[in-house]
């Protein structure tokens, strides 16, 4: 391919990919399969690698990969990012309209736009001539942080605006909310729980924590979303109304909320509010009210602002799903990895149909921020399907007898020393034989996705550990019927069932076994990855940190955690005991010992007899790996129908090129 042809194709591919991205992430109606998208993406990536002179920081391939930052730089907003005043009833909304009328010396009702109020993090995106230039957080409204790299990883942020309906403006600052959808929040916390990391308290904190990462690769894994709803300064475009501006946003490829609506009467406003409140739980994101904005921009300008709130907009909040109750106690709860979590024991209350009597206070710094003390009267909130949360203290109810909580210096369960981690936010019991840790580790070990020991629940574990019959997971395999029957009131049948379940777990798959060990940061996925690279636990014990880091998906932190686990005396003793009881087989062994071990493959062009996914699977099962770009380290390039530039590059590097037939023979082992 000649350079000018390459340049043309590169441009073409970027436009096509941007378009599919828009269909998928903004309109939520994709037109091509993921495979097709991946194919185009790889073609572009490949061409860009071969023709670096046509690089562009806003190419769809450039969303991830920027170097981690040391710190964020500050950005001053050209127009302050305001906050909103609240109302809580139709009457209060009427008073808000009344204030507008008094200010303007009129007596009428205005056109409003109703928008769901999103519970996320305010941000600003700057586009010049349609190209995404930079982005920042709201911060204190005047100054925010430059989070450009992180915003680029959000697929709903267009790297260039579409100009097919309206021409793009000279410059525009678009404002909106970065959010984490409920399902992504729940699965992120699910993964964190599995890997022993602290949980986020709600989707907003998760979104904020994810956007404020110095390493944008972490942000990229968090599936953030964005919805745009306002503008800062702009040049080279005029809008008459707010709804007109939102329509421009949408046409430019900026995601707006499909529930936004123009409302012309007071009744329409009330109805809209009730409608969104009813939908609240079925919305994919947390929403805590409705924002009403005067539609006419010239009216907005006349109204201006008062003490950092616009006079022309109001947040009408939903009736909170909260209750007032008392903190009976705050106890430090010891988790599987020894991390202490302060938990509030509450006088039971019913909120939204659920009885609430415990609430995690997350960590010492959250607790300090809210200044929650034992004996305090507190407001507890249950938002949708999210865990109950102590939101604030009712200060007026303080008597002076309330007692602040301090993390103990000794473990409340075993009395060992507590160490501080990360600027005093996290505390950890250093004794790995601590009964609380042991119980949590057994619970994890018996978990369905791990060794799947049915019936071994909290009660059993509590009794077995407290009675000193079980000291670690290996002693489960020495349990005898007589021991258990003597100490529990459980009937013969239940005891037998438990013993049967334990017996069944005596043969296990390597990936489940690794997961069951409860190594910090090692969830089901990493456990499977490890099983595809190592034949057995013995091999894992010998691996170095560097070797671990070579594996795709394993970064320095995970590598360190795995390495440390297999270099702790106690763990090695435990593993030895476990191996005496459990027969571990590796279902991915063929991948480890396969005849293509260590071989790297690149595919280019279409395959006739098998899908790309299948081909990839065949390579992996024989121990090889598939990469996207052609380089010196590649062993085989498989050229299918209409191969792309990768083939030219492979030839120029003198790599071995295979046809589809040759590939199949090679994998099957008769070359
Ligand atoms: S408009 C001057 N629209 O709520 C207008 N804000 O309490 C200010 N928010 O800082 C923003 N959904 O982060 C607007 N549809 C929406 C919103 C929204 C959520 C947030 C925003 C703002 C805060 C104000």
């Amino acid at each position: 391919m000649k350079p000018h042809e390459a340049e043309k194709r590169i441009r073409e591919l970027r436009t096509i990919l941007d378009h599919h991205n828009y269909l998928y992430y903004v309109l939520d109606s994709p037109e091509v399969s993921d495979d097709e998208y991946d194919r185009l993406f790889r073609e572009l990536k490949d061409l860009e690698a071969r023709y670096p002179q046509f690089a562009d920081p806003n190419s769809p391939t450039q969303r991830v990969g920027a170097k981690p930052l040391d710190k964020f730089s500050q950005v001053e907003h050209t127009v302050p990012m305001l906050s909103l005043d609240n109302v809580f009833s139709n009457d209060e909304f009427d008073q808000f309209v009344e204030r507008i009328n008094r200010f303007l010396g009129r007596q009428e009702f205005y056109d409003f736009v109703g928008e769901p109020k999103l519970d996320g993090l305010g941000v600003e995106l700057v586009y010049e001539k349609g190209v995404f230039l930079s982005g920042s957080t709201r911060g204190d409204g005047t100054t925010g942080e430059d989070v450009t790299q992180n915003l680029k990883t959000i697929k709903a942020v267009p790297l260039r605006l579409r100009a097919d309906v309206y021409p793009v403006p000279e410059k525009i600052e678009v404002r909106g909310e970065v959010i984490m959808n409920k399902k992504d929040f729940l699965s992120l916390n699910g993964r964190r729980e599995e890997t022993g990391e602290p949980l986020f308290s709600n989707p907003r904190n998760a979104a904020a924590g994810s956007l404020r990462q110095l390493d944008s690769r972490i942000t990229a894994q968090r599936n953030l979303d964005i919805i745009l709803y306002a503008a800062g300064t702009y040049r080279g475009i005029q809008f008459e109304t707010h709804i007109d501006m939102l329509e421009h946003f949408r046409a430019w490829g900026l995601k707006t909320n499909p529930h936004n609506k123009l409302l012309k009467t007071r009744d329409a406003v009330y109805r809209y509010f009730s409608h969104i409140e009813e939908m609240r739980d079925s919305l994919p994101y947390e929403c805590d009210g409705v924002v009403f904005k005067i539609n006419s921009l010239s009216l907005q300008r006349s109204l201006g602002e008062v003490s950092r709130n616009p006079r022309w907009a109001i947040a009408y909040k939903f009736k909170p799903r909260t209750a007032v109750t008392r903190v009976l106690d705050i106890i430090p709860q010891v988790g599987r990895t020894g991390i202490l979590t302060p938990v509030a024991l509450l006088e039971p209350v019913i909120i939204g149909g659920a009885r609430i009597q415990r609430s995690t206070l997350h960590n010492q710094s959250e607790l300090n921020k809210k200044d929650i003390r034992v004996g305090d009267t507190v407001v507890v909130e249950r938002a949708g399907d999210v865990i109950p949360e102590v939101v604030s203290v009712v200060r007026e109810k303080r008597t002076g007898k309330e007692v602040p909580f301090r993390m103990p210096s000794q473990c409340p369960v075993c009395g060992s020393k507590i160490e501080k981690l990360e600027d005093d936010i996290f505390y950890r019991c250093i004794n790995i034989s601590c009964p609380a840790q042991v119980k949590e580790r057994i619970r994890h070990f018996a978990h369905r996705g791990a060794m799947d020991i049915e019936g071994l629940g909290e009660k059993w574990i509590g009794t077995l550990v407290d009675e000193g019959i079980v000291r670690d997971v290996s002693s489960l395999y020495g349990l005898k019927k007589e021991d258990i029957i003597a100490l529990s009131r459980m009937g013969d049948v239940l005891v037998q069932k438990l013993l049967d379940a334990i017996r069944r777990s005596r043969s296990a798959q390597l990936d489940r076994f690794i997961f069951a060990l409860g190594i910090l940061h090692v969830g089901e996925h990493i456990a499977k990855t490890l099983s595809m690279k190592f034949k057995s636990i013995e091999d894992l014990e010998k691996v170095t940190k560097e070797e671990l880091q070579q594996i795709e998906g394993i970064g320095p932190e995970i590598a360190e955690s795995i390495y440390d686990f297999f270099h702790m005396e106690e763990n090695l003793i435990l593993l030895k005991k476990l191996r005496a009881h459990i027969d571990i087989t590796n279902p991915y062994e063929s991948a480890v010992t396969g005849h293509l071990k260590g071989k790297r493959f690149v595919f280019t062009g279409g395959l006739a007899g098998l899908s790309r996914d299948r081909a990839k699977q065949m390579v992996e099962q024989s121990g090889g790996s598939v990469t996207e770009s052609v380089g010196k380290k590649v062993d085989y390039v498989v050229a299918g129908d209409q191969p792309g530039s990768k083939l030219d590059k492979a030839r120029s590097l003198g790599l071995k090129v295979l046809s589809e037939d040759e590939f199949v023979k090679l994998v099957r082992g008769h070359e």
Side-chain angles (χ1 to χ4, degrees), residues 78-320:
T78 56
V79 189
M81 291 179 77
L82 303 177
S83 55
L84 295 167
D85 202 3
N86 297 320
V87 295
F88 297 92
S89 66
N90 288 353
D91 277 353
E92 286 182 17
F93 177 82
D94 291 349
Q95 288 163 20
F96 158 70
V97 178
E98 201 39 48
R99 282 199 298 277
I100 294 180
N101 272 330
R102 261 205 309 277
F103 188 84
L104 297 174
R106 297 197 208 172
Q107 200 48 255
E108 56 188 278
F109 194 79
Y110 304 88
D111 286 1
F112 281 95
V113 176
E115 304 177 1
K117 184 172 193 301
L118 307 160
D119 208 4
L121 186 71
V123 295
E124 176 173 276
L125 313 173
V126 184
Y127 288 88
E128 271 188 28
K129 299 197 170 67
V131 176
F132 176 61
L133 197 69
S134 62
S136 52
T137 58
R138 174 176 181 275
D140 62 5
T142 314
T143 319
E145 287 174 326
D146 183 334
V147 286
T148 308
Q149 294 307 343
N150 296 347
L151 286 166
K152 274 174 82 170
T153 69
I154 304 176
K155 303 276 188 19
V157 169
L159 300 179
R160 58 189 84 230
L161 301 179
R162 302 165 63 86
D164 49 344
V165 183
Y166 303 114
V168 297
E170 173 77 15
K171 179 188 168 178
I172 186 165
E173 296 166 356
V174 210
R175 294 173 173 183
E177 203 84 353
V178 167
I179 53 176
M180 184 176 286
N181 287 307
K182 290 182 211 165
K183 76 168 179 1
D184 293 311
F185 167 73
L186 292 172
S187 67
L188 172 64
N189 260 357
R191 287 199 303 276
R192 290 172 75 88
E193 183 152 42
E194 230 176 48
T195 56
E197 289 158 285
L199 305 189
F200 287 110
S201 51
N202 54 47
R204 186 196 42 236
N205 284 2
S210 304
L211 193 66
R212 298 190 62 256
Q213 288 287 337
L214 292 166
D215 185 348
S216 63
R217 286 171 303 189
I218 299 177
T219 315
Q221 291 164 3
R222 297 283 173 84
N223 260 341
L224 293 173
D225 202 350
I226 191 169
I227 290 185
L228 289 317
Y229 51 62
T233 47
Y234 43 91
R235 276 201 310 272
I237 181 83
Q238 298 270 56
F239 309 110
E240 292 289 314
T241 60
H242 182 66
I243 201 88
D244 171 43
M245 180 174 83
L246 291 176
E247 198 200 309
H248 277 75
F249 281 9
R250 193 171 156 79
W252 285 329
L254 296 160
K255 188 165 177 172
T256 55
N257 199 316
H259 295 296
N260 295 345
K261 195 168 178 206
L262 179 62
L263 305 160
K264 290 174 169 282
T265 65
R266 206 180 289 269
D267 245 20
V269 163
Y270 298 162
R271 275 201 310 271
Y272 181 79
F273 177 79
S274 309
H275 173 63
I276 301 291
E277 186 168 32
E278 270 163 32
M279 286 204 319
R280 180 177 187 183
D281 282 337
S282 58
L283 290 171
Y285 41 77
E286 283 292 323
C287 164
D288 57 352
V290 173
V291 182
F292 291 107
K293 302 174 181 174
I294 290 266
N295 190 32
S296 154
L297 296 188
S298 64
L299 264 185
Q300 285 190 6
R301 277 188 292 272
S302 328
L303 285 162
E305 65 202 62
V306 52
S307 61
R308 310 230 113 214
N309 295 327
R311 276 198 193 81
W312 46 267
I314 198 83
Y316 187 168
K317 299 293 262 311
F318 297 143
K319 269 166 239 56

Side-chain angles (χ1 to χ4, degrees), residues 550-594:
Q550 301 282 309
I551 300 171
E552 201 166 308
I554 298 188
E557 210 180 349
I558 303 178
E560 172 138 353
S561 165
I562 298 171
Y563 180 86
D564 288 351
F565 183 91
F566 288 105
H567 285 81
M568 265 180 74
E569 180 81 36
E570 297 94 330
N571 292 339
L572 296 178
I573 296 172
L574 176 70
L575 283 169
K576 198 163 167 210
K577 286 198 265 176
L578 282 176
R579 282 206 302 267
H581 297 293
I582 303 172
D583 176 29
I584 305 168
T585 50
N586 185 354
Y588 305 100
E589 184 164 351
S590 65
V592 187
T593 52

Side-chain angles (χ1 to χ4, degrees), residues 302-351:
S302 328
L303 285 162
E305 65 202 62
V306 52
S307 61
R308 310 230 113 214
N309 295 327
R311 276 198 193 81
W312 46 267
I314 198 83
Y316 187 168
K317 299 293 262 311
F318 297 143
K319 269 166 239 56
R321 279 183 288 203
T322 59
V324 173
T325 186
R326 248 167 49 91
V327 178
L328 301 176
D329 202 358
I330 299 177
I331 54 161
Q333 192 170 290
V334 187
R336 176 181 105 218
T337 53
I339 301 264
L340 265 62
T341 306
V343 174
L345 304 184
L346 306 167
E347 215 165 71
V349 275
I350 309 277
I351 313 175

